Amino acid sequence: MAIAGKKGKLVIDTDESRVLGIKNWSLALNINTLETTGLGDDWKSYITGMKEWTASSSGDYEIKGGAELKGQDALQEAFLNG
């Protein structure tokens, strides 16, 4: 089912910066398929394995905080700390 991204948003938890606009975004979902066919079986059989997802976006970003770049520091800290 397709959903329009009209009400979507990207939030960064800091007062020092803000996202001005998203130019594009993507979301990828994946489930591994594991084969469980045994010797002597006439038909292949499968089970679902591990699930994973990735997301990305690009857009305009305003950094407040002058030369200290506090907003950028918050992004880097969030990335490094998971």
Side-chain angles (χ1 to χ4, degrees), residues 14-52:
T14 177
D15 292 334
E16 304 297 328
S17 60
R18 66 187 178 114
V19 176
L20 299 176
I22 299 298
K23 302 296 183 195
N24 61 61
W25 66 277
S26 66
L27 173 66
L29 303 170
N30 188 40
I31 299 176
N32 291 333
T33 304
L34 306 172
E35 185 176 347
T36 58
T37 309
L39 291 174
D41 290 347
D42 291 333
W43 294 90
K44 288 186 176 183
S45 59
Y46 301 90
I47 60 172
T48 57
M50 299 296 292
K51 299 174 187 174
E52 65 180 331

Side-chain angles (χ1 to χ4, degrees), residues 57-82:
S57 66
S58 65
D60 297 323
Y61 176 70
E62 177 183 51
I63 298 175
K64 297 180 181 179
E68 296 176 19
L69 298 179
K70 293 179 182 177
Q72 186 66 35
D73 289 343
L75 284 173
Q76 181 176 351
E77 183 178 341
F79 173 77
L80 294 174
N81 291 322

